[in-house]
Amino acid sequence: TGYGDTEAQCFNVGALIRTIAGVSDDFDKPALPGISEALNATNVAWTTSFGTGWFSQSDVSHDCVSAAQSGAIGNAASSILTGTVSGSGTLSFWWKVSSEENKDYLRFALDGVGIYSVSGDQDWRQVTVVVDGEGEHLLTWTYSKGKSGVAGSDCGWVDEVMWEKDWLIGDW
């Protein structure tokens, strides 16, 4: 289920809370959660690319709290977020991109195989992926830029990652 215009709803809720609390918009934001908390997935082992890595932020999110955003990169570069899960199960996540259409992409790959890709100005969409097989599985989100140009916010966001492992009797 979608939430409609999520940013507007988040802003209105935040403004209401600040008004009730008597806090101005000039206050320092509280410390942001780490990537695991921003993605709502502490049961996934997360890593991100060095120097251009994804980071936790609270300005754009699907859940009105925080989300991971791709790092600032130049042309012909990528910002990579990876997660590792074990066994079979179901993965779902929300993602959004603001980029140069058909030149810059936010992509998702499972075990190195590209599955989904979005480009241009795309609002929050939910993706669900069935993960089959024993052992560890690599989840990869990559924001990559083409050789030239800038459009939109020039980044991608991921939020509300949910990993539900299929439990077998022998797993207990």
Side-chain angles (χ1 to χ4, degrees):
T1 59
Y3 292 106
D5 187 357
T6 306
E7 278 79 30
Q9 291 174 353
C10 293
F11 173 78
N12 292 338
V13 169
L16 177 62
I17 291 170
R18 288 190 298 277
T19 300
I20 292 170
V23 178
S24 75
D25 284 337
D26 296 331
F27 70 98
D28 289 332
K29 290 184 178 180
L32 291 172
I35 289 287
S36 295
E37 292 80 13
L39 293 169
N40 310 93
T42 56
N43 63 336
V44 175
W46 296 103
T47 59
T48 187
S49 49
F50 180 76
T52 59
W54 289 62
F55 60 94
S56 172
Q57 54 78 46
S58 61
D59 293 327
V60 177
S61 68
H62 184 262
D63 63 5
C64 297
V65 179
S66 60
Q69 179 179 324
S70 60
I73 55 174
N75 291 325
S78 297
S79 179
I80 301 168
L81 172 68
T82 61
T84 304
V85 296
S86 299
S88 296
T90 303
L91 174 76
S92 66
F93 60 89
W94 288 86
W95 68 350
K96 171 184 173 126
V97 67
S98 179
S99 70
E100 190 174 12
E101 182 114 28
N102 298 322
K103 292 189 179 181
D104 305 341
Y105 293 90
L106 177 57
R107 294 182 169 99
F108 173 75
L110 174 63
D111 293 328
V113 178
I115 298 178
Y116 295 107
S117 177
V118 290
S119 182
D121 192 18
Q122 304 292 327
D123 202 3
W124 290 105
R125 294 180 181 184
Q126 188 175 33
V127 174
T128 301
V129 179
V130 174
V131 179
D132 287 322
E134 295 181 17
E136 291 191 340
H137 299 281
L138 184 64
L139 318 171
T140 307
W141 290 264
T142 304
Y143 180 73
S144 57
K145 287 189 50 59
K147 295 179 182 178
S148 65
V150 174
S153 298
D154 217 12
C155 64
W157 297 268
V158 175
D159 199 4
E160 295 184 83
V161 176
M162 180 180 279
W163 167 246
E164 294 181 10
K165 182 176 177 167
D166 292 341
W167 292 99
L168 303 174
I169 293 175
D171 290 337
W172 293 339

